[in-house]
Amino acid sequence: WFSVSFQDREALSERLVEASVSYNRPRGFVVLDQVHSVNVRLRGSSRLIRQLNPYQVSVQVELAQTQPGTVNVNLGPENVLMPDGLEVMSLEPNVIRVELDREVSQRLPVVPRLIGEPAAGSITDEPEVFPNQVLVTGPESLLAKVQSLSTRPLNLDGHALTFEETVAVVPPDPLIQIVQPSKVSVRVPLRQPGAGDGAEQARKQGP
């Protein structure tokens, strides 16, 4: 019985695991279009293979490139983090294409996103945003295409008078991060039809 159980315990087995990929990137750079996972075939004793949790297996990519651009990275057993006693048989794919871009910081204006209709026929004047700019970081190529940022929807339904609300700023892309502030205060001026026009006319006529 002892020899049978020993043989069973030491019998080799294989398993295919989907492993997450992490990137050690150079300072000041960001990875575009990341490959998030690869398939790793592992071999080990039947006992270890049975006990293996897929989350114990990951692939780490070292990026030494210091210029923006695309590079092909070869993956091998040295890239795989896994429990002791297991052997890497193959990786699929074993070459991944990585694109690096410079990470830059920039201030961008914030434009509030208004939805719904104000109550009692009120008219919406130009909203005010405090602060009206926020600091973001992200890939240089992506930020070059972004002119402004939007807030989470601000619902006008049920509002008849001027109101103010704090809302989150929405990053336009997962690779663009809002540094500070992550929220802004939006003041939405509401007036009754003709109210603003009359005041303006009186101001022009003077005493």
Side-chain angles (χ1 to χ4, degrees):
W1 287 104
F2 176 80
S3 63
V4 172
S5 62
F6 180 81
Q7 289 174 356
D8 176 64
R9 191 162 63 247
E10 293 304 311
L12 293 179
S13 184
E14 292 187 2
R15 182 172 175 185
L16 190 66
V17 174
E18 184 178 358
S20 62
V21 180
S22 62
Y23 298 84
N24 290 335
R25 53 191 170 91
R27 186 177 179 84
F29 285 84
V30 64
V31 179
L32 305 179
D33 299 325
Q34 296 184 7
V35 174
H36 294 288
S37 65
V38 296
N39 291 321
V40 180
R41 183 171 292 280
L42 299 172
R43 183 169 69 177
S45 70
S46 298
R47 177 177 56 86
L48 286 178
I49 291 294
R50 277 198 305 268
Q51 294 174 350
L52 178 65
N53 185 328
Y55 293 107
Q56 295 175 293
V57 183
S58 63
V59 173
Q60 199 167 64
V61 177
E62 298 286 342
L63 297 171
Q65 186 183 358
T66 55
Q67 292 294 326
T70 303
V71 60
N72 290 327
V73 178
N74 294 309
L75 300 179
E78 67 277 5
N79 298 104
V80 181
L81 301 176
M82 59 186 174
D84 291 337
L86 296 174
E87 180 185 2
V88 177
M89 302 304 295
S90 65
L91 290 98
E92 179 61 40
N94 61 0
V95 178
I96 59 174
R97 193 177 179 87
V98 178
E99 185 178 355
L100 278 179
D101 195 5
R102 294 192 191 279
E103 187 174 42
V104 296
S105 298
Q106 187 175 327
R107 290 195 174 276
L108 289 172
V110 179
V111 178
R113 181 186 170 200
L114 305 181
I115 61 172
E117 293 291 335
S122 294
I123 296 173
T124 306
D125 285 335
E126 189 70 28
E128 300 170 16
V129 182
F130 309 95
N132 60 3
Q133 289 189 337
V134 300
L135 181 66
V136 301
T137 63
E140 190 174 35
S141 58
L142 281 182
L143 282 177
K145 303 172 185 175
V146 180
Q147 302 301 316
S148 63
L149 301 173
S150 179
T151 66
R152 291 202 176 276
L154 205 61
N155 199 338
L156 300 177
D157 289 345
H159 289 281
L161 302 173
T162 296
F163 70 99
E164 191 169 318
E165 199 168 308
T166 300
V167 288
V169 181
V170 180
D173 187 279
L175 291 176
I176 295 177
Q177 296 183 339
I178 310 294
V179 179
Q180 61 176 0
S182 59
K183 294 182 178 181
V184 294
S185 180
V186 180
R187 181 177 180 272
V188 183
L190 294 173
R191 60 181 173 84
Q192 293 300 309
D197 301 337
E200 182 66 27
Q201 189 176 359
R203 193 159 49 246
K204 287 181 180 178
Q205 290 175 350

